[in-house]
Amino acid sequence: MTELRAGAATDIGLVRASNQDQLLVAHPLFAVADGMGGHAAGEVASRIAVDSLAASFAELAAPSPDQLGAAAQAANRAVWDHAQSAAELRGMGTTLVALALVADGGQPKLGVVNVGDSRAYRLRDGELAQLTNDHSLVQELVDEGQLGAEEAAHHPQRHVLTRALGVDPDVAVDLTAVTPVPGDRFLLCSDGLVREVDDNQVAAVLRRLADPDDAARELVAQAKAHGGSDNVTVVVVDVVAGQPGGPAAPPAAAEPTAVVKGAPPAGPARRPPPRRRPRAPGGAAGPLNQVVTVRVLAFSILVVGLLAIAGAGVGLYARGSYYVGLSGRRLTIFQGRPGGMLWLRPTVAQRTDVTTAGVLAYHLGALRAGQPEGSLDAARQYVQSLQAEYSRDQAPNLSLPPSVSLPPSLSLPPSVSLPNLSVPPTTSPSSTSTSSTTSSATPPAT
Ligand code: MG
């Protein structure tokens, strides 16, 4: 019997105003989701995704890899449906990477599903291997050979996702299944880890700290030590040698921000649904310290209110914007601001069939930087105008063959002069130098 032991940690990081990552430790299902969207929408999206995934998975008697994939699809639909319910949530989305113990043909497997740029890794025999592919613009450029791994890490559009959960009613989910071997260690993480800590450093921590909780906390601490520019979330899952028929390992203690804690499964058919762990009430439970005056409290409420209003405004502005950019060589319409804005990352709104080969070269600079447009329709019209311009430029009938010359009527006959520009013949060099008033008053000769 395969036993799993897990540890987890998450942190807001050093820059962001809120933690929009969510983690799920609900044996034998584990997940990380990284939400995006204005105001609180990103947090809502990632929470709905993990809640929906956990609920769908808990319904399964003997989950297969495909059923894990279907649970991820259901999570996509749940986020999408919720996003349609309120204007301020529209356009929200989330990444999702999940790992679960499933059965395939009677054999235990660890199924991995992925949408977006959160990642799953496996450490086996001390070697770290990435199990997932990022659904991001820079990964496409790397795959096409246009970008090296080192350039990708610092590319200005590295935040741009090409796939996310909840932005469309349907989404393609990457699914893989690996055979668990005692001693294997799996890592699920949001991009806030891998953006700050390279794979060698991650592997060193996973090799050094045996306890999964210790390893998760250390990885989060290293991400913060390297800048903490984003929320960072880590789940470490160990495959341990279990006794046949013995109980699964109890869930390791997770950070207070763990959103779902599940009871250990007593058997595949009787797994209780995971229960949401109540969130801490934000530190407001105890009596106010006496040094906190009413004035300070009022000021704090005012500041928080203003920040919330500003955040909502930024969210509406950023998510209500579109731009035309490049995905590889293909013109692509993105929702958001070029390069992202604060915590808001652009997503792909529409891929077009137009490539850079079908656009006049002088537009390429603007396209690489991202050409902002006020709406999706305006962005489509911009692409159409580029196409039309290119077609006109290429049309053979519009260029004059070498043998065609302008008709004589279009050239000026040599006898025609421009009277106003000619110098009056009566003006002599001496008069212009001594009597400017006379020469300026002289009407031009006609
Ligand atoms: Mg992130």
Side-chain angles (χ1 to χ4, degrees):
M1 171 144 185
T2 303
E3 285 187 20
L4 303 175
R5 187 165 56 208
T10 184
D11 196 280
I12 191 172
L14 302 177
V15 174
R16 299 299 168 93
S18 64
N19 190 349
Q20 302 197 331
D21 286 359
Q22 298 282 339
L23 66 84
L24 175 73
V25 176
H27 285 264
L29 173 66
F30 311 89
V32 167
D34 178 354
M36 58 190 183
H39 198 26
E43 199 176 336
V44 172
S46 56
R47 193 185 312 142
I48 291 172
V50 296
D51 282 356
S52 171
L53 180 78
S56 300
F57 192 81
E59 297 293 316
L60 303 171
S64 67
D66 285 346
Q67 285 174 315
L68 177 62
Q73 296 277 7
N76 175 70
R77 192 73 202 201
V79 178
W80 165 260
D81 286 347
H82 201 83
Q84 308 314 303
S85 68
E88 69 271 19
L89 298 179
R90 212 148 290 166
M92 72 176 181
T94 181
T95 72
L96 177 70
V97 62
L99 174 142
L101 184 59
V102 294
D104 192 12
Q107 296 299 311
K109 294 281 182 184
L110 284 172
V112 177
V113 288
N114 174 51
V115 176
D117 66 353
S118 297
R119 292 181 180 175
Y121 289 86
R122 178 181 62 195
L123 185 80
R124 174 177 282 179
D125 300 328
E127 295 295 319
L128 190 69
Q130 189 176 332
L131 299 178
T132 52
N133 291 316
D134 292 351
H135 302 135
S136 66
L137 192 58
V138 292
Q139 187 60 49
E140 285 191 358
L141 297 176
V142 170
D143 292 344
E144 291 171 5
Q146 296 187 43
L147 213 60
E150 186 60 29
E151 294 168 292
H154 303 101
H155 195 279
Q157 289 186 298
R158 62 188 179 279
H159 310 288
V160 178
L161 295 180
T162 52
R163 230 192 276 178
L165 221 65
V167 296
D168 279 307
D170 294 299
V171 70
V173 174
D174 285 359
L175 169 68
T176 185
V178 296
T179 302
V181 173
D184 280 353
R185 168 167 270 192
F186 291 84
L187 166 70
L188 307 179
C189 62
S190 61
D191 66 333
L193 175 68
V194 295
R195 214 182 281 170
E196 308 289 4
V197 187
D198 70 31
D199 284 4
N200 290 333
Q201 294 168 305
V202 168
V205 171
L206 292 176
R207 283 192 293 259
R208 178 162 57 87
L209 297 173
D211 182 84
D213 259 326
D214 289 348
R217 278 195 285 261
E218 175 61 16
L219 288 171
V220 168
Q222 290 210 2
K224 291 175 72 177
H226 285 82
S229 63
D230 194 5
N231 307 147
V232 53
T233 300
V234 170
V235 176
V236 176
V237 181
D238 288 339
V239 181
V240 296
Q243 298 298 316
E255 292 288 292
T257 38
V259 292
V260 178
K261 299 269 285 182
R270 291 176 296 283
R271 186 181 304 115
R275 284 178 295 134
R276 168 171 289 280
R277 181 178 185 160
R279 284 181 156 264
L288 284 175
N289 190 308
Q290 287 178 345
V291 300
V292 179
T293 64
V294 172
R295 193 179 294 177
V296 169
L297 187 62
F299 179 73
S300 303
I301 291 170
L302 180 67
V303 168
V304 169
L306 288 174
L307 285 174
I309 291 167
V314 167
L316 284 174
Y317 171 67
R319 297 303 300 171
S321 307
Y322 292 84
Y323 68 93
V324 181
L326 297 176
S327 173
R329 292 193 178 83
R330 195 190 300 189
L331 272 64
T332 301
I333 300 172
F334 297 91
Q335 186 180 12
R337 305 291 303 169
M341 188 172 176
L342 299 178
W343 62 92
L344 300 166
R345 303 200 291 176
T347 53
V348 173
Q350 185 185 332
R351 290 171 187 279
T352 73
D353 296 327
V354 185
T355 67
T356 50
V359 174
L360 295 185
Y362 73 89
H363 290 298
L364 295 182
L367 289 169
R368 281 193 199 99
Q371 170 68 34
E373 294 292 337
S375 67
L376 183 57
D377 275 347
R380 287 172 177 151
Q381 282 168 16
Y382 174 67
V383 174
Q384 284 169 2
S385 73
L386 295 182
Q387 268 185 298
E389 181 193 34
Y390 182 79
S391 300
R392 281 196 304 274
D393 186 71
Q394 298 296 305
N397 292 340
L398 292 181
S399 62
L400 296 175
S403 61
V404 175
S405 58
L406 287 173
S409 62
L410 290 181
S411 63
L412 295 176
S415 60
V416 175
S417 63
L418 298 173
N420 287 336
L421 295 179
S422 62
V423 176
T426 54
T427 305
S428 66
S430 61
S431 69
T432 54
S433 62
T434 56
S435 176
S436 61
T437 52
T438 304
S439 68
S440 66
T442 306
T446 54

